[in-house]
Amino acid sequence: MNQYKIRDQGENQTFITTQAYLNLLKTFHKLPHEKGHIVHVVGAPGTGKSTNIYSAVEELGLNFYEAKLPLLSLDLNPKEVFNLMIESMKKDLPMKSHDTLWDPLKEYDAVLFADQFHDYHAVNENYGGFSQWVAHKGVGSFNFYFLCIYAYLRNRNEFKDVNMVLQTAWRVTSGGEKKDLFTDLGGLSRLAVKLLEIPFEVVEISYSREETIKIVKSHLSDVNNDEIMRYIKKYGNKPRFICQAIQTGL
């Protein structure tokens, strides 16, 4: 399912402007001029959260650092994964010690946690990705989030000088299917987003049927509206899943 998944900024060749993108662009406009923003970009799988993020940072010319998390094993414990996240940043950024991690991050318009962090296995098949690790660990992965929250509270003054953009998803199993907590569960999703909006800024990537048709046609120009509508009924307004299904005939 990775043929239509954008894994880095350089792959972002085809893009259609939507209302969700304009909302994201409006939020990102503030980042070069203000610090202390933590933006959560939410959206169901297949809606192209990373595509929108990469397009927005390119259009605005943002100076951003993209965090990476290559995992050598899915059996690592949460503390080990957290430490690997820090070590990966230390390798990328000019710093002398853990205590100076914040200094180079403050120089960027935004620190981005997107596909290079969540799905590094799609970038390099020799490594595992964070999303795979979460699926493998299940509820055992929750301690990683607690470690992140603790680090945030402990370094709250430092976070005031750093902008962060997080591609946020939380998969749950409902009715035997994996669904996204923030977008796929109706009223519960609306409540989850409202709670997330209390301490953070949230931008949801979702599309109308008309926007979905335009996005699919930008990749597959010979497909007609009726065929796309049949797949929308099956998959919802999720262009990546629809493009893949049309290509494979599923």
Side-chain angles (χ1 to χ4, degrees), residues 127-245:
Y127 292 92
F130 180 74
S131 62
Q132 289 181 317
W133 177 79
V134 170
H136 178 69
K137 285 291 185 180
V139 295
S141 65
F142 285 0
N143 281 343
F144 173 85
Y145 299 102
F146 295 143
L147 289 169
C148 291
I149 293 171
Y150 175 73
Y152 171 74
L153 294 175
R154 185 180 178 184
N155 300 281
R156 202 163 187 175
N157 287 334
E158 301 288 357
F159 271 97
K160 292 179 181 179
D161 297 317
V162 177
N163 289 325
M164 300 179 66
V165 176
L166 300 100
Q167 181 177 305
T168 303
W170 199 323
R171 305 290 182 261
V172 297
T173 301
S174 176
E177 297 181 10
K178 288 185 178 180
K179 297 185 177 181
D180 179 62
L181 172 63
F182 297 106
T183 56
D184 290 336
L185 299 178
L188 181 60
S189 293
R190 295 301 94 197
L191 176 60
V193 170
K194 288 296 182 183
L195 292 174
L196 193 64
E197 286 176 336
I198 294 174
F200 307 115
E201 297 175 68
V202 178
V203 180
E204 181 177 348
I205 303 301
S206 61
Y207 310 114
S208 66
R209 289 186 176 183
E210 291 74 17
E211 289 173 334
T212 302
I213 290 172
K214 288 181 181 179
I215 294 170
V216 172
K217 283 190 168 184
S218 73
H219 294 283
L220 304 171
S221 58
D222 58 343
V223 66
N224 61 56
N225 289 13
D226 290 339
E227 185 177 4
I228 297 174
M229 284 299 300
R230 288 199 299 272
Y231 283 102
I232 287 177
K233 290 179 181 178
K234 182 176 181 180
Y235 293 102
N237 294 314
K238 301 175 180 179
R240 176 159 56 92
F241 290 174
I242 293 172
C243 286
Q244 194 71 37

Side-chain angles (χ1 to χ4, degrees), residues 2 5-9 11 50 54 66 115-116 122-123:
N2 290 326
K5 186 178 182 65
I6 300 299
R7 293 164 293 187
D8 59 54
Q9 189 177 6
E11 289 186 354
S50 57
Y54 291 131
E66 184 168 10
D115 279 353
Q116 296 270 344
V123 179

Side-chain angles (χ1 to χ4, degrees), residues 12-79:
N12 212 15
Q13 303 296 322
T14 302
F15 186 75
I16 299 296
T17 298
T18 64
Q19 185 58 53
Y21 175 71
L22 294 176
N23 294 339
L24 185 66
L25 208 61
K26 182 178 179 180
T27 299
F28 279 12
H29 261 294
K30 299 180 288 187
L31 301 183
H33 313 292
E34 303 172 4
K35 296 292 186 179
H37 292 280
I38 300 181
V39 182
H40 286 264
V41 182
V42 303
T47 53
K49 294 182 291 296
S50 57
T51 304
N52 281 269
I53 290 170
Y54 291 131
S55 293
V57 297
E58 182 176 14
E59 179 171 341
L60 296 174
L62 297 185
N63 176 28
F64 73 98
Y65 165 70
E66 184 168 10
K68 306 173 186 65
L69 187 60
L71 299 177
L72 289 173
S73 171
L74 299 183
D75 293 321
L76 298 173
N77 64 49
K79 181 65 173 178

